[in-house]
Amino acid sequence: MTVHFKQDKPDESNRLDDMRQGVIGKALPRVEGLAKVTGTATYAAEYSIDNCAEGVLVTSTITRGEVTSIDRDAALAMPGVIAVIDDPRLTTRAAQGTADEAPQQKPKTVCYWGQPIALVVAETFEQARDATKHLAIEYRVEEGAPLDPNTVEPEEQEDETVHQGDLAHAMSEATHSVDVTYTTRGHASAAMEPHAAIAQWDGDKLTVYASLQMLNYNISELADALDMEEGDIRLVSRFVGGGFGSKLGISEEAVAASIAAKELGRPVRVVMSRQQVFQCIMRRSETTQRLRLCTDANGTLTGFGHEALVSNLPGEEFAEPVLQSSHFLYGGENRELMLKVARIHRMTAGSVRAPGEAVGMPALEAAMDVLAEEVGIDPVELRLKNIPEKNPEEGLPFSSHKLAECLRQGAEAFGWDRGPRKPRQTREGEWWVGTGMASAARVHNVSEAKARVTLKPDGTALVETDMTDIGTGTYTILSQIAGEMLGLSPDRVLVDLGDTRHPRGPGSGGSWGAASIGSAVYVACQAIREELASRLDVEEAELDLSDGKAGSGESIVDLLDGKDLAREGYYEPGDIADDYTASGFGAFFAQVRVNRFTGEARVDRMLGAFGFGRVLNHKTARSQCLGGITWSIGVALTEALEFDPRDGHLVNPDLAEYHVPVHRDVPDLDVIMVEERDPAASPIQAKGIGELGMCGGAAAIANAIYNASGARVFDFPMTPDRVLAAMPD
Amino acid sequence: MRPFSYTRARTLTDASQTVSDDRAMAIAGGTNLLDLMKLQVETPSQLADINRVGFAEIEDTDDGGLSIGALATNTETAVHPRVRADYPVLSRAILAGATQQLRNKATNGGNLCQRTRCYYFTNIDQPCNKREPGSGCGAIDGIAKLHAILGTSDQCIATYPGDMAVALSALDAQVQIATSDGGSRTVPVRDFHCLPGDTPWRENVLEPGEIITAITLPAPVGGTQLYRKVRERSSYAFALVSVAAIVELEDGRFSRADLAFGGVAHKPWHDPRVADALIGKAPSPELFDRAADILLEDAQGFGENDFKIPLARRTLHAVLEQAVEEAS
């Protein structure tokens, strides 16, 4: 029985707070943690399947053109080599998040260097990998593929454009103004687990074990790519070793494994190499961003301009949504926002860790620091002064808004000095030491979601959905939500995820997982409660469940009469999304040191204060924040994809040369979670958490670099060469 | 990875015979070689595993120096009490390299032979004169941020990526080599690595069949010993510029200034003129600048790595300033 709940209005009842089990929000350890650290959690490539052949993708060595022939004789003559597959259904890019249809196919048409064009299958992985180097591939090269976003005429993304009032006039009339341009480099998701899939056919039925974030979409993407019915496909992703956007859409290895397994009549595993993951999946676009901000004498914004240039391959709809939070974070009646996308032949640009705000917020918040100095006002004060009462463009109210609390609580906990700020005031040996801060913002997303909850006669509960846990804590929070609602200790709730035979969840991405699927579980549990209440002949509101018993003393098991009690919860966001602007907010504070000789910048300590609605598990929520702040350090200081200027290939496609922060780059981090219930965000009053921690943090570091050393750097990441170039003598 | 045969050498002679074939290679820790084999940058037909041939001891030499076995690990070397006490620059340099896990596996001999991290060398679908003579240099007009500013050629601008050898160069250590005829020879670390010239594939002076057996350090040299590594993240990153320094002052003047530089050339860079410029002079920023002028006289950037020229100057300043402070 499916119970449908569509949220059309705010829910102030905060039902989870009325329950008696007392586990919601508790810092429970991850239920799958032991399995992961002992190696018993089975990741996609690790399923033991008889007679499985091994496939390795073949990638192009040209940037643009056609594959005219593949001479496979030499490769096929090699020991163990079974097949060279260049089926036209092979996909050449990963699907964009929520695409719901096959990505680009036609593998013979090459659009970027390193694009998959074929698959070699052999008895062993090593044989297949070696054989990929023994194919004689002929190309017809199309010279002159544009590679530099600054050399092509970009396309305007018109739905992002805002012209409100007259910014140019406001800038010229304003007491204070800044007009600054920032650049950010490309980023990779850099998940630990590489993309991998095993495909197995049983007649016309296909099962694929894969590392994916959004099975609900991935199944239709795969079905479309293979021209199949969804009902004939089963996808399994029980454990995902990090996604960060890179596994939102079906990617090349899963489609290739499926085609090969069908053709060869045996299971096929395809695992991408680290280099292929970097080169064939998604990059975050580099950006160029112009910020124009102007205020009256007191520092109140009168104008707000944010224009961004990003890039992608021809034919891709995704454009890094740089301006997402700029639309509503600060006031200013004269507004100009514009996003442009340049069509170039680097690999596909798509969702990478907090698409949009991860790079838009650092630029905006660095510009706010320049503005604070111009106005002569404390940077915290400048932000507080410019928090709008409602969305300054659409006029919508905010569902809930904790930016001011985050700024105040964060400043207090960090020990922010509100005195006059001048750079180069503190030196410790070779190091200039300074502080900086920034706001955080990330739009809140939710999606429709389904989950089935079954109360079992043995006194346990089972939660089933195809939702994934990409390392964020989904297994654990769902056991807490069901446990809280049904009066069960979470260790009596079994959560079964990552299998498309279950009701469809929203998948993990855009930080929407917990609020969406958590609401579906909540809706199912609410329906079970109603059934239990009717069996007890009481009102549901009076039902008082804890530790397997109702308040009146009856055991829940006795009410079941030896039978399962199952309900499917179907949560739908509803019209409320049109009535409110919903966002997570926060504030970052950082202390940074800059070496006066070498320009190296290192973070001494950093604090993030966040408001993201109800916290479902303090431990997993805090871990999300810590991870987000760590990515902020990467954006600020270390991470940059480097592309060859002549053929656009990624020159640093591994974890030695693409620099994610290492332990030593990540100092003492502090997280404050501001108490909040967002009645319009979801029926469980929760908002997204995962990405907020990296939405602006890089600017706190950039601003601290300036405060420490006097180097005002306008290019992220702020590597020693760039800091030195900007450092006063 | 190409199919290859694997033999476990029981003696040095075994190993030497095997690697006399230029399609064979010795493997010890394998931290660099295995990665390169997977990428098919290295395609040996045979591997001779030398981990059981001995030469893993770290022991005193007759002249009061220290002999460090080629097959001792980087970690064993860095934490050895005599290395820490008498050659701290070496300990510091090793600990500045790679990660704990890699250092646990990497051997000293292998570390000396580690290959460049040039992006074009490690990608077999790109040109590289070092990997494929005559195919061209991808880095010269490509992404060259990591690349050399000293001793480059129009064939190759790659750097030697290691840290340990930079300290060994400052210490004027000697490389002990077993030759293929059963004899041995000694080569100063300063002469062990080659400049690219017209033979960029040749990175060191080892001949076919030769195997490093030990590195010998001179009797303790004292002084203030520093290793400074400038890098984009604070661990597990190759040097943009590094400096190994052994500095002593007498009566307020430099009496020793053995300096070697990493991240700037195809080999650990040691220019004796730098010490000549410093010795006998009182430390001052102007003096440091003069030393840097000499060091960087012939430095040439390739666009993206132009910053290394001022960075090398500034890092030299930083190290000398710190050394003088610690020595005084």
Side-chain angles (χ1 to χ4, degrees):
Chain A
M1 188 167 129
T2 300
V3 185
H4 181 198
F5 177 76
K6 189 173 169 208
Q7 187 172 16
D8 288 325
K9 56 183 198 306
D11 179 351
E12 312 265 7
S13 68
N14 299 340
R15 284 305 309 280
L16 275 167
D17 292 321
D18 301 335
M19 300 293 145
R20 279 192 47 215
Q21 189 64 29
V23 292
I24 204 70
K26 288 282 181 297
L28 299 189
R30 293 179 196 204
V31 297
E32 82 289 14
L34 188 68
K36 282 182 172 169
V37 299
T38 54
T40 54
T42 310
Y43 288 84
E46 298 176 335
Y47 285 85
S48 177
I49 290 178
D50 286 346
N51 196 33
C52 189
E54 307 289 340
V56 172
L57 291 165
V58 181
T59 57
S60 78
T61 56
I62 64 161
T63 306
R64 187 173 65 171
E66 294 287 328
V67 177
T68 52
S69 72
I70 300 177
D71 182 345
R72 58 198 73 196
D73 293 351
L76 287 171
M78 293 170 70
V81 176
I82 302 165
V84 177
I85 289 169
D86 61 352
D87 190 292
R89 294 171 299 168
L90 288 174
T91 49
T92 59
R93 307 175 189 176
Q96 297 287 355
T98 74
D100 230 12
E101 60 183 16
Q104 185 77 30
Q105 295 177 291
K106 291 193 281 184
K108 289 202 158 49
T109 305
V110 177
C111 293
Y112 61 96
W113 198 100
Q115 173 194 304
I117 52 177
L119 181 79
V120 172
V121 186
E123 295 295 339
T124 72
F125 169 71
E126 287 77 10
Q127 289 167 336
R129 183 173 56 183
D130 189 20
T132 63
K133 303 299 181 193
H134 288 79
L135 295 171
I137 301 168
E138 302 282 335
Y139 298 98
R140 182 181 54 72
V141 177
E142 274 181 64
E143 300 286 355
L147 297 167
D148 179 349
N150 296 307
T151 58
V152 295
E153 188 60 41
E155 300 164 8
E156 184 178 333
Q157 299 294 105
E158 283 170 16
D159 51 351
E160 286 279 347
T161 302
V162 172
H163 292 293
Q164 195 173 298
D166 185 344
L167 180 61
H169 182 71
M171 288 283 288
S172 66
E173 296 290 303
T175 316
H176 304 290
S177 64
V178 299
D179 182 349
V180 283
T181 298
Y182 293 85
T183 66
T184 66
R185 303 293 276 273
H187 298 145
S189 292
M192 289 256 280
E193 183 202 16
H195 290 56
I198 304 174
Q200 185 172 27
W201 290 82
D202 179 6
D204 290 329
K205 305 281 186 190
L206 171 66
T207 299
V208 182
Y209 302 91
S211 186
L212 294 164
Q213 293 179 232
M214 296 189 149
L215 301 187
N216 183 30
Y217 297 97
N218 304 140
I219 195 169
S220 47
E221 291 153 4
L222 183 60
D224 188 27
L226 301 174
D227 197 15
M228 289 175 66
E229 297 297 321
E230 280 183 35
D232 291 332
I233 298 176
R234 179 186 172 201
L235 289 180
V236 180
S237 286
R238 296 198 188 285
F239 299 101
V240 180
F244 310 109
S246 71
K247 297 166 183 169
L248 290 179
I250 201 87
S251 45
E252 297 95 323
E253 82 293 346
V255 178
S258 302
I259 292 169
K262 182 73 172 174
E263 189 169 322
L264 302 177
R266 61 188 280 196
V268 174
R269 172 180 14 236
V270 181
V271 180
M272 284 194 183
S273 68
R274 179 66 65 195
Q275 288 78 10
Q276 288 178 335
V277 172
F278 269 89
Q279 178 69 66
C280 306
I281 304 294
M282 296 285 181
R283 63 183 171 95
R284 184 202 305 289
S285 172
E286 70 298 317
T287 72
T288 302
Q289 302 178 51
R290 182 185 186 195
L291 273 302
R292 283 179 291 168
L293 305 170
C294 58
T295 73
D296 64 16
N298 299 321
T300 300
L301 283 164
T302 55
F304 183 100
H306 194 172
E307 295 149 77
L309 173 67
V310 302
S311 70
N312 208 339
L313 277 166
E316 291 292 327
E317 283 185 16
F318 181 90
E320 180 77 18
V322 176
L323 311 177
Q324 213 156 234
S325 286
S326 297
H327 288 294
F328 60 80
L329 183 60
Y330 299 124
E333 59 272 28
N334 300 287
R335 304 179 77 81
E336 203 156 306
L337 288 85
M338 191 182 291
L339 180 65
K340 290 182 175 175
V341 57
R343 297 295 170 191
I344 59 168
H345 289 263
R346 294 178 183 171
M347 73 226 215
T348 323
S351 293
V352 174
R353 306 185 223 139
E357 287 95 327
V359 284
M361 285 292 295
L364 167 57
E365 289 298 295
M368 284 293 279
D369 198 65
V370 179
L371 180 66
E373 185 180 41
E374 171 73 26
V375 176
I377 184 175
D378 180 76
V380 175
E381 194 55 39
L382 178 67
R383 271 107 176 152
L384 286 169
K385 201 181 258 297
N386 286 292
I387 298 174
E389 285 188 8
K390 54 185 186 182
N391 184 316
E393 291 170 12
E394 296 168 343
L396 291 176
F398 291 101
S399 59
S400 167
H401 198 302
K402 294 289 180 189
L403 177 54
E405 285 86 339
C406 291
L407 288 164
R408 292 197 179 101
Q409 288 187 30
E412 169 78 22
F414 182 81
W416 181 258
D417 179 358
R418 295 202 184 205
R421 292 175 61 76
K422 278 172 63 183
R424 286 198 168 192
Q425 298 303 299
T426 307
R427 208 176 106 186
E428 293 175 9
E430 290 181 12
W431 299 86
W432 295 108
V433 182
T435 57
M437 59 77 53
S439 296
R442 172 71 179 165
V443 292
H444 168 63
N445 297 302
V446 270
S447 172
E448 63 175 355
K450 288 180 184 168
R452 180 168 51 241
V453 179
T454 307
L455 204 48
K456 300 272 188 185
D458 63 0
T460 64
L462 174 65
V463 176
E464 295 166 296
T465 162
D466 79 350
M467 177 65 184
T468 52
D469 184 332
I470 57 171
T472 46
T474 312
Y475 280 106
T476 312
I477 58 151
L478 297 186
S479 78
Q480 287 173 275
I481 293 168
E484 189 68 59
M485 293 296 289
L486 301 177
L488 295 172
S489 166
D491 61 11
R492 299 190 66 76
V493 180
L494 178 68
V495 180
D496 190 356
L497 302 180
D499 188 331
T500 51
R501 293 198 294 202
H502 295 328
R504 298 293 176 76
S508 302
S511 300
W512 75 13
S516 305
I517 196 65
S519 293
V521 171
Y522 169 85
V523 169
C525 290
Q526 185 71 15
I528 290 176
R529 288 175 57 86
E530 281 174 18
E531 177 60 27
L532 292 174
S534 80
R535 292 183 190 183
L536 279 168
D537 207 17
V538 296
E539 292 294 312
E540 186 274 329
E542 293 161 21
L543 190 64
D544 207 4
L545 300 175
S546 67
D547 292 328
K549 290 195 173 59
S552 46
E554 291 88 344
S555 151
I556 296 174
V557 169
D558 292 343
L559 294 173
L560 296 179
D561 196 21
K563 297 195 193 76
D564 285 358
L565 172 54
R567 292 289 182 273
E568 183 175 287
Y570 171 25
Y571 157 69
E572 204 184 346
D575 297 336
I576 198 162
D578 300 331
D579 299 338
Y580 295 92
T581 295
S583 177
F585 293 98
F588 298 97
F589 297 84
Q591 180 180 309
V592 173
R593 58 187 52 224
V594 179
N595 189 286
R596 72 186 182 95
F597 288 109
T598 65
E600 290 163 290
R602 303 285 186 245
V603 181
D604 276 349
R605 63 189 179 100
M606 197 158 168
L607 176 146
F610 305 108
F612 31 47
R614 181 193 298 279
V615 173
L616 300 167
N617 177 321
H618 265 78
K619 188 173 195 168
T620 55
R622 181 169 182 277
S623 292
Q624 292 275 288
C625 297
L626 295 176
I629 297 173
T630 302
W631 292 131
S632 290
I633 296 172
V635 175
L637 300 179
T638 61
E639 291 185 60
L641 295 175
E642 304 278 359
F643 293 92
D644 183 274
R646 297 152 301 185
D647 63 14
H649 86 276
L650 177 62
V651 301
N652 56 340
D654 62 45
L655 293 170
E657 305 300 343
Y658 178 77
H659 292 161
V660 298
V662 295
H663 286 93
R664 209 173 169 213
D665 295 313
V666 184
D668 195 16
L669 301 180
D670 207 354
V671 174
I672 294 172
M673 290 181 269
V674 173
E675 190 74 17
E676 181 182 2
R677 303 280 183 270
D678 190 327
S682 62
I684 55 175
Q685 297 83 39
K687 290 192 274 205
I689 294 182
E691 294 164 312
L692 182 62
M694 76 174 299
C695 298
I701 296 167
N703 300 339
I705 288 173
Y706 174 70
N707 181 249
S709 69
R712 192 66 99 174
V713 186
F714 293 91
D715 302 288
F716 293 91
M718 300 189 178
T719 44
D721 51 319
R722 290 167 161 185
V723 173
L724 273 187
M727 195 134 81
D729 288 333
Chain B
M1 189 175 279
R2 297 265 176 86
F4 59 92
S5 61
Y6 167 90
T7 52
R8 181 180 290 165
R10 304 197 182 284
T11 65
L12 194 64
T13 317
D14 271 3
S16 177
Q17 271 171 6
T18 309
V19 301
S20 295
D21 180 337
D22 62 9
R23 290 167 305 167
M25 293 182 80
I27 182 166
T31 54
N32 189 205
L33 178 58
L34 291 178
D35 279 353
L36 294 175
M37 287 172 68
K38 291 174 190 173
L39 296 168
Q40 298 206 357
V41 173
E42 297 278 21
T43 52
S45 59
Q46 185 168 13
L47 284 186
D49 181 340
I50 58 172
N51 283 296
R52 285 171 174 76
V53 303
F55 304 101
E57 302 298 315
I58 299 176
E59 49 199 8
D60 297 347
T61 59
D62 294 343
D63 66 354
L66 194 65
S67 169
I68 297 167
L71 286 155
T73 68
N74 277 182
T75 296
E76 288 160 357
T77 308
V79 303
H80 191 275
R82 272 211 66 198
V83 175
R84 290 172 59 105
D86 295 335
Y87 313 97
V89 66
L90 178 58
S91 187
R92 287 173 173 165
I94 292 173
L95 294 176
T99 66
Q100 182 74 56
Q101 293 89 335
L102 288 167
R103 294 191 297 267
N104 288 346
K105 195 75 188 140
T107 64
N108 295 326
N111 188 307
L112 280 181
C113 298
Q114 76 169 309
R115 310 216 57 191
T116 184
R117 304 299 301 203
C118 173
Y119 306 127
Y120 298 86
F121 173 69
T122 54
N123 186 337
I124 65 166
D125 295 317
Q126 291 288 327
C128 172
N129 288 321
K130 180 187 286 294
R131 194 188 60 245
E132 199 180 324
S135 62
C137 172
I140 286 176
D141 294 315
I143 300 294
K145 189 169 186 183
L146 292 176
H147 289 71
I149 52 171
L150 290 165
T152 56
S153 76
D154 58 8
Q155 298 271 307
C156 179
I157 61 170
T159 53
Y160 170 75
D163 294 294
M164 182 186 81
V166 181
L168 293 173
S169 175
L171 285 161
D172 198 13
Q174 310 291 309
V175 184
Q176 307 298 334
I177 298 167
T179 55
S180 56
D181 58 6
S184 66
R185 65 182 180 120
T186 301
V187 176
V189 165
R190 290 173 186 172
D191 299 332
F192 178 77
H193 296 96
C194 308
L195 287 179
D198 292 330
T199 55
W201 53 89
R202 188 174 161 80
E203 297 187 339
N204 59 52
V205 300
L206 286 179
E207 298 289 342
E210 290 192 328
I211 293 176
I212 300 170
T213 55
I215 299 159
T216 47
L217 302 173
V221 296
T224 297
Q225 302 192 7
L226 300 174
Y227 188 72
R228 175 71 69 100
K229 181 177 181 181
V230 183
R231 44 188 155 174
E232 291 195 350
R233 63 182 169 188
S234 57
S235 179
Y236 193 41
F238 292 91
L240 298 173
V241 168
S242 71
V243 184
I246 305 167
V247 172
E248 239 175 330
L249 280 92
E250 264 175 45
D251 302 328
R253 292 168 187 274
F254 285 109
S255 56
R256 175 186 284 275
D258 293 327
L259 299 163
F261 299 83
V264 294
H266 200 255
K267 60 184 290 186
W269 192 258
H270 176 264
D271 184 339
R273 298 176 305 157
V274 175
D276 293 346
L278 293 168
I279 286 172
K281 311 262 178 27
S284 71
E286 294 72 29
L287 178 68
F288 301 164
D289 258 335
R290 275 206 298 284
D293 287 343
I294 291 166
L295 172 74
L296 298 165
E297 190 181 353
D298 296 322
Q300 181 199 353
F302 294 85
E304 284 218 319
N305 69 343
D306 289 350
F307 73 95
K308 282 191 175 185
I309 299 172
L311 181 62
R313 174 180 297 274
R314 298 177 74 107
T315 310
L316 178 61
H317 267 261
V319 168
L320 289 174
E321 199 166 284
Q322 184 185 349
V324 167
E325 197 181 304
E326 290 189 15
S328 310

